[in-house]
Amino acid sequence: GRSRGHRADPTLVRRMQADDLDAFEELFERYRTPIYRTAYGLTGDRHVGEEVLQDTFARAWQRRSTLNPDVSPLPWLHRVALNLCYSRLGRRRLPSEPIGESVMAEVRDGAVEPAERAERQELRSIVRDRIAALSPKHQSVVVLYYLHGLSLLETATILGIRVGTVKSRLHYALRALRVELERDRRFGGAY
C-alpha cells in the first residue's frame, strides 16, 4: 500500500552511503513512480518527466552522504524534482499539456456517450490551461494535494512549509481557478 514507500528505511540509505549501487537501484524502484508523477504533472511532458526523474535520482546518488537515514527520502526527492521542473520551465508558461491525461484521467471515462466524452475532454483541457496559469508555489500544492492525494501534512513536509501555508495556498489556488473558469468562455462563462 501507500505507507510502504513513505516510511524511512534506514538500512537502504546507509547502504547507499557505503556506495552500494544495489541499494540505489532499490531506492529508484521504490520511489520512481511518485517522482515521475510529480514531474509529469508539473511539466505535462512525458519526455521531460523522464529526464527530471533521472536527474532527481542522479542527484540523490551524488548527495547520498547528506541524506538522513532515519527519515523517508521522499520529501527530499520531491523537492529536488520540483526544483528541477521549475528551473527547466524557467519563466515561460507551462507547455500546452500540463497536468496531463494521467492526472485528469482520475475522472475515468468509462462508457460515456461520445458527445459527453468530448465535453469532458474540453473541460479537462480548460482546467489544465488554468492550472498552468497558476504561480509555481500554487501549482505545487495543487499537484501534490490533489494529484497525488497526499495529506496536508505530507504536502507541507515535501514543500518545506507549514500546514497553514498549504491550506492558504490551496484556498488561494482554488479561488483563482474558480474565477478563471467562470471567466473562460469555453466553460460557458458567457451566461
Side-chain angles (χ1 to χ4, degrees):
R2 191 168 104 179
S3 60
R4 181 181 146 267
H6 287 242
R7 275 201 308 279
D9 183 347
T11 56
L12 198 57
V13 173
R14 290 203 181 94
R15 280 169 54 211
M16 265 175 66
Q17 289 172 339
D19 300 340
D20 181 343
L21 273 167
D22 289 336
F24 177 62
E25 288 282 315
E26 276 179 50
L27 184 90
F28 181 73
E29 287 308 319
R30 181 176 305 186
Y31 296 112
R32 62 184 297 174
T33 304
I35 297 306
Y36 175 76
R37 282 226 309 268
T38 288
Y40 177 53
L42 280 176
T43 61
D45 183 318
R46 290 178 191 285
H47 182 67
V48 175
E50 274 299 328
E51 286 180 0
V52 167
L53 174 68
Q54 304 297 336
D55 291 352
T56 299
F57 282 91
R59 206 157 287 196
W61 178 254
Q62 286 159 5
R63 301 189 190 165
R64 59 194 180 281
S65 64
T66 66
L67 294 174
N68 177 351
D70 300 315
V71 299
S72 166
L74 194 57
W76 186 89
L77 290 167
H78 266 301
R79 276 199 294 275
V80 170
L82 288 167
N83 289 333
L84 287 168
C85 286
Y86 292 137
S87 59
R88 269 170 177 276
L89 295 167
R91 284 279 139 252
R92 65 195 174 75
R93 258 179 64 86
L94 283 165
S96 59
E97 220 216 354
I99 307 255
E101 287 315 301
S102 68
V103 180
M104 293 311 183
E106 306 293 341
V107 189
R108 281 263 75 100
D109 284 330
V112 183
E113 292 303 305
E116 194 184 324
R117 184 178 297 135
E119 214 165 81
R120 199 173 289 184
Q121 287 296 125
E122 173 83 339
L123 177 58
R124 269 185 213 170
S125 77
I126 294 166
V127 172
R128 272 206 303 268
D129 289 349
R130 291 302 151 217
I131 291 174
L134 293 173
S135 70
K137 66 180 190 180
H138 292 112
Q139 278 168 18
S140 53
V141 294
V142 169
V143 167
L144 294 173
Y145 186 74
Y146 288 108
L147 162 61
H148 285 303
L150 296 183
S151 68
L152 290 169
L153 183 59
E154 287 168 322
T155 302
T157 305
I158 284 167
L159 296 173
I161 57 182
R162 294 198 309 274
V163 168
T165 309
V166 174
K167 283 184 185 167
S168 65
R169 284 184 189 177
L170 281 172
H171 178 76
Y172 174 89
L174 293 179
R175 200 176 57 209
L177 282 173
R178 195 172 302 125
V179 168
E180 286 292 337
L181 288 171
E182 282 166 7
R183 195 181 292 154
D184 197 312
R185 306 189 86 84
R186 294 173 300 170
F187 199 65
Y191 290 120

